[in-house]
Amino acid sequence: MRFPYKPSPHIKANVSTTHVLHTVLLALLFVAAWSIVIQYINFGADYAIRAVFIILTACATAFVTDIAFYLIKTDGVKYTTLGERLKATLPKAFKEAPLVTALILALSLPVGIPLYAVIVATIFAEFIGKLIFGGVGSNLFNPAAVGIVIAGLAFGSTIVPPDAYAGATPMATIASHYNWRITEAVGVQFICNHCSLGHIFFGAVRGGIGEAARPAILIALVFLIYKKVIDWVVPVVFVGTVFVATLIFGSYLCLGLWYPVLHVFSGSLIFGAVFMATDPVTTPVNRQGRILFAIFLAMITLIIRFNATHTEAMGFSILIMNMFVPFIDRKTGNITTSKPWAKAAVLCIAWVCAIGLALGISIMLG
Amino acid sequence: MPFFSQRKSVVIRNSKKMTESQPVLKYLKPKTVAIPLKYMQSEHFDRHVDIGDSVKIGTKLAAGKDNIILFSTVSGKVTAIEKRDHVSLKKADHIIIENNFLDEKALLIAPVPDLKTLTKERIGAYPNGVLGMDMSVFTKKIHTVLLNGICESYITSNEAGMLVDTDLLFEGLLLLMKNSGAEKGIITVRKNFESLLDVLTNTAKKYADHPIEIKAVEDILPMCQGHTPLDVGVLTVDTDMTIAFARFLKTGIPQYERIVTLSGEGFRKPQNVQVRIGTLLKDVVEAIGGYVEGLNPKHARLVAGGAFRGSSVITDDLSILSTTNAFLCLTDIEKEVLPCIHCGTCIDYCPVGIQPVQIAAAGKSHELLEKLGADRCVGCGHCSSVCPSFIELTSTTTKAKAFYLSKK
């Protein structure tokens, strides 16, 4: 009997990339469900229905964008009927994981955003962020972050005014009025009048749809780490660096321990740390690189938070760090500097430099 | 530090269940055997026999460089010398011998019934090729001889051999220790194969005055990472080879039989078979009941060796060599290749700490390949076996290594 020749090894993994994407999707759906419930409990059915519409719109748009893209790009294959062409397109569209991108994007948007803005942002995320580079696996930038930045820059002013929906988020108040440089009195007044840290944690404060579901995000984090889908060092190092840096900044402003906690639990920081900073495609491949990525991601997030006019830092900092991923990969792949102590030393120096730079720039400009 | 390069191991335990408890089938009367005029990398042999010559077990058929001797494994008549398929995928000349079933034997060296009487000088005086290994030169001081009783996935032939020839195993180990000057001998067996562990522990009591230790270890791949055993003064020897070596010195006839594992989902009754070296694989497959019904060879693989390092062969019309410990017929392996998502799993499992995903992306950049250490690849196959996108990373990495070395 004759057999075909195949290269060794003759054993294959029992988990597939598709399986990994489905696990992430499951975690995202859990967060989405939790945040819809949170919207309903805290602000009423009106908000919850809007949130559902935003999520569904984003998912549908992403899927339609993928189908449209592959209907046009057939790789030279000729189809006689449109039905045949559509049939060949569907599996390709599914493979691009449109729902993962759409959910991350939708959950980062505020409830007050108009639906047409969601559609435009999703098309940008899916097409410019992913398909144009050659699909999932080849994209340089995190597609969801592309959409978030588009939504923020192009449609920031169209978000329905405070009384009707969303409202000035506590994040926005602190960020735009004070650029996070608050005094003890302002902070205490703010926390007494508007909310408590507990309120912020449980999402009783207006903000992005998904970022309010912090307990759900933490459960999703534990689930994803348990399933070995994401590397735990990225969120831990990122949040840890933000905490330490803001603790130092807080003591510079003579503020208590609540200040770094407020930083960590406000805005999309936790959401971004779990779902965007851990995206394998747009982050470094090895652990040393991933830690470097997390450290400098924290640095850029803080610099934007302390100094920029735009309130939402996560999307920008993710995109900026995405550009450095090939560079980080190349430098950390060098086997001549692969001694563990050398790696640890590089990381320690990078960590100190990142915190120093973030605080130095902020204090200097402030 | 496991923090940076996680150096994970693959657990391979389950694949051995197919054959570990099956009795060894004896298939010792082949009609013909085919001895290839090729051994490992050597292809130039001076033939000592011609068509029509009668031979006995142990008769010298051909001699090559480095004292490699090819000998007959049955008694009978040389009927043909022809080009046939070889495990290495290239065709090679084979000497075909028809068996007369008399099993007459010709001694190659004078037998030593009591191996304890052999001195270090006597062992050193045997030509290297006769022993099948280099017994004299060690650049480093050897302090331990380690007999590795754990084979690759699916393979249990070495364990079957240890169960049958336990005494020869210990005697061989003592000879190896005497020759290399090692103070200690270790035999490793897998933890979850208790019957073998019991047999070895009981036999070890007989050799209680020698520093021999039986170690039960986890059935994982790879076993050691970062260093080669010789770097740390450990000589690792295959158990099959140790038994063959002891038996050869004792009887004066080189190894003419071996146990080979036929396993995998493609065989109807996977089991270990004791065969004459040179027996045709298709005859043995027939003897164990053939392939599963409806096997489509286009979607299956026939592998000589284990699933990680074994090489795929294109036909079952091959002769079984002294170096092939298993043939696997594997089905349902083929999976559609997905795009790489840079998850880094291949990096976590690489035993030498290189980054297959980056080497694959480096293309033909010589400078990058040097920085990434492409030449360190040992071709173990772990990266391909754990990749969730089913990319043939081992192929790309070994190709990159070959390219790098060719341009050096």
Side-chain angles (χ1 to χ4, degrees), chain B residues 223-401:
Chain B
M223 274 286 165
C224 72
Q225 293 166 329
H227 293 284
T228 61
L230 274 178
D231 282 347
V232 289
V234 177
L235 176 69
T236 39
V237 187
D238 179 34
T239 53
D240 282 344
M241 197 178 192
T242 312
I243 293 170
F245 163 62
R247 182 182 284 131
F248 171 44
L249 292 184
K250 215 166 187 171
T251 60
I253 302 164
Q255 184 194 15
Y256 60 95
E257 286 174 1
R258 73 155 300 137
I259 298 175
V260 54
T261 302
L262 296 185
S263 186
E265 304 81 23
F267 289 121
R268 193 174 294 165
K269 280 188 215 138
Q271 58 186 305
N272 287 315
V273 192
Q274 192 174 5
V275 296
R276 288 287 161 87
I277 288 159
T279 310
L280 294 180
L281 175 61
K282 59 176 181 182
D283 295 345
V284 183
V285 169
E286 212 178 287
I288 66 160
Y291 300 100
V292 287
E293 237 165 278
L295 176 81
N296 181 355
K298 275 186 186 149
H299 298 133
R301 293 181 184 188
L302 188 64
V303 178
F308 279 94
R309 305 249 3 212
S311 56
S312 161
V313 293
I314 54 169
T315 172
D316 60 0
D317 192 9
L318 299 166
S319 58
I320 295 171
L321 311 179
S322 60
T323 47
T324 42
N325 49 4
F327 282 98
L328 312 178
C329 185
L330 304 172
T331 55
D332 297 328
I333 303 176
E334 264 45 77
K335 285 180 182 171
E336 192 198 353
V337 175
L338 302 168
C340 171
I341 59 161
H342 310 160
C343 62
T345 313
C346 49
I347 299 172
D348 289 346
Y349 281 88
C350 180
V352 291
I354 56 174
Q355 308 194 356
V357 49
Q358 291 216 54
I359 291 173
K364 300 261 181 240
S365 163
H366 196 262
E367 187 196 348
L368 259 182
L369 289 177
E370 178 166 1
K371 279 189 180 158
L372 291 167
D375 57 325
R376 293 192 186 186
C377 176
V378 291
C380 63
H382 278 82
C383 42
S384 292
S385 74
V386 296
C387 178
S389 292
F390 316 118
I391 299 166
E392 296 288 359
L393 282 163
T394 313
S395 297
T396 54
T397 314
T398 44
K399 271 178 203 155
K401 178 185 177 179

Side-chain angles (χ1 to χ4, degrees), chain A residues 196-249:
Chain A
S196 70
L197 289 177
H199 268 105
I200 295 179
F201 181 72
F202 287 105
V205 172
R206 290 155 189 183
I209 300 170
E211 57 199 46
R214 290 194 180 83
I217 296 170
L218 293 183
I219 293 170
L221 172 69
V222 173
F223 171 71
L224 291 176
I225 290 172
Y226 171 74
K227 284 278 180 185
K228 298 195 172 101
V229 168
I230 64 174
D231 195 345
W232 60 269
V233 294
V234 178
V236 169
V237 170
F238 173 66
V239 173
T241 310
V242 168
F243 186 86
V244 171
T246 48
L247 183 69
I248 298 170
F249 197 68

Side-chain angles (χ1 to χ4, degrees), chain A residues 1-21 95-96 134-140 228-229 231-233 237 278-291 325-348, chain B residues 1-6 8 12 85 89 153-154 291 295 297-303 306-317 329-330 333-336 338-344 347 353-355 357-358 368 370-373 375-376 379-382 384-392 394-395:
Chain A
M1 205 180 269
R2 293 192 83 79
F3 293 85
Y5 171 78
K6 291 285 161 65
S8 65
H10 312 285
I11 206 163
K12 296 271 171 168
N14 46 13
V15 288
S16 75
T17 308
T18 325
H19 179 84
V20 169
L21 289 174
K95 241 179 241 168
E96 295 299 339
V136 66
S138 313
N139 48 322
L140 183 60
K228 298 195 172 101
V229 168
D231 195 345
W232 60 269
V233 294
V237 170
T278 56
D279 169 28
V281 179
T282 54
T283 55
V285 286
N286 58 56
R287 206 167 227 190
Q288 190 197 5
R290 283 176 185 165
I291 297 172
V325 166
F327 176 75
I328 294 175
D329 270 346
R330 193 152 290 187
K331 289 299 163 198
T332 52
N334 194 339
I335 46 144
T336 50
T337 55
S338 64
K339 291 268 181 294
W341 61 264
K343 286 183 180 174
V346 167
L347 291 180
C348 287
Chain B
M1 202 194 278
F3 183 73
F4 288 120
S5 45
Q6 302 184 340
K8 292 178 186 168
I12 54 172
D85 284 311
L89 296 176
S153 53
Y154 291 95
Y291 300 100
L295 176 81
K298 275 186 186 149
H299 298 133
R301 293 181 184 188
L302 188 64
V303 178
F308 279 94
R309 305 249 3 212
S311 56
S312 161
V313 293
I314 54 169
T315 172
D316 60 0
D317 192 9
C329 185
L330 304 172
I333 303 176
E334 264 45 77
K335 285 180 182 171
E336 192 198 353
L338 302 168
C340 171
I341 59 161
H342 310 160
C343 62
I347 299 172
I354 56 174
Q355 308 194 356
V357 49
Q358 291 216 54
L368 259 182
E370 178 166 1
K371 279 189 180 158
L372 291 167
D375 57 325
R376 293 192 186 186
C380 63
H382 278 82
S384 292
S385 74
V386 296
C387 178
S389 292
F390 316 118
I391 299 166
E392 296 288 359
T394 313
S395 297

Side-chain angles (χ1 to χ4, degrees), chain A residues 48-358:
Chain A
I49 291 168
R50 259 197 94 80
V52 170
F53 269 112
I54 290 173
I55 291 170
L56 288 181
T57 310
C59 290
T61 312
F63 199 49
V64 169
T65 311
D66 277 356
I67 291 178
F69 181 79
Y70 280 109
L71 273 181
I72 297 163
K73 181 180 175 292
T74 52
D75 296 324
V77 184
K78 294 258 186 298
Y79 299 103
T80 45
T81 62
L82 187 70
E84 213 174 280
R85 196 160 175 164
L86 202 64
K87 210 173 154 192
T89 303
L90 281 174
K92 285 190 204 161
F94 267 117
K95 241 179 241 168
E96 295 299 339
L99 297 187
V100 174
T101 304
L103 275 175
I104 296 178
L105 172 59
L107 292 178
S108 306
L109 296 175
V111 152
I113 194 163
L115 289 184
Y116 68 85
V118 177
I119 293 175
V120 174
T122 314
I123 292 175
F124 261 91
E126 198 64 18
F127 184 65
I128 305 284
K130 194 194 282 173
L131 294 174
I132 217 166
F133 287 95
V136 66
S138 313
N139 48 322
L140 183 60
F141 295 104
N142 189 318
V146 172
I148 293 165
V149 167
I150 293 290
L153 289 184
F155 303 103
S157 54
T158 64
I159 294 171
V160 183
D163 295 337
Y165 287 115
T169 64
M171 178 75 187
T173 316
I174 297 184
S176 53
H177 285 216
Y178 302 102
N179 251 354
W180 285 93
R181 291 176 183 78
I182 45 180
T183 60
E184 182 76 40
V186 172
V188 169
Q189 185 209 0
F190 175 81
I191 287 184
C192 293
N193 288 1
H194 296 263
C195 51
S196 70
L197 289 177
H199 268 105
I200 295 179
F201 181 72
F202 287 105
V205 172
R206 290 155 189 183
I209 300 170
E211 57 199 46
R214 290 194 180 83
I217 296 170
L218 293 183
I219 293 170
L221 172 69
V222 173
F223 171 71
L224 291 176
I225 290 172
Y226 171 74
K227 284 278 180 185
K228 298 195 172 101
V229 168
I230 64 174
D231 195 345
W232 60 269
V233 294
V234 178
V236 169
V237 170
F238 173 66
V239 173
T241 310
V242 168
F243 186 86
V244 171
T246 48
L247 183 69
I248 298 170
F249 197 68
S251 27
Y252 167 75
L253 297 172
C254 308
L255 301 173
L257 198 63
W258 58 268
Y259 185 71
V261 177
L262 184 68
H263 257 285
V264 168
F265 287 124
S266 54
S268 58
L269 197 126
I270 296 273
F271 184 78
V274 174
F275 287 108
M276 293 203 283
T278 56
D279 169 28
V281 179
T282 54
T283 55
V285 286
N286 58 56
R287 206 167 227 190
Q288 190 197 5
R290 283 176 185 165
I291 297 172
L292 275 177
F293 179 87
I295 289 171
F296 286 106
L297 186 67
M299 180 185 91
I300 293 175
T301 308
L302 287 178
I303 290 176
I304 294 175
R305 269 198 177 179
F306 285 135
N307 306 303
T309 49
H310 202 265
T311 54
E312 201 36 87
M314 234 15 232
F316 283 102
S317 50
I318 292 270
L319 287 188
I320 292 169
M321 280 316 292
N322 283 163
M323 290 192 290
F324 291 98
V325 166
F327 176 75
I328 294 175
D329 270 346
R330 193 152 290 187
K331 289 299 163 198
T332 52
N334 194 339
I335 46 144
T336 50
T337 55
S338 64
K339 291 268 181 294
W341 61 264
K343 286 183 180 174
V346 167
L347 291 180
C348 287
I349 294 168
W351 195 67
V352 172
C353 287
I355 292 180
L357 268 174

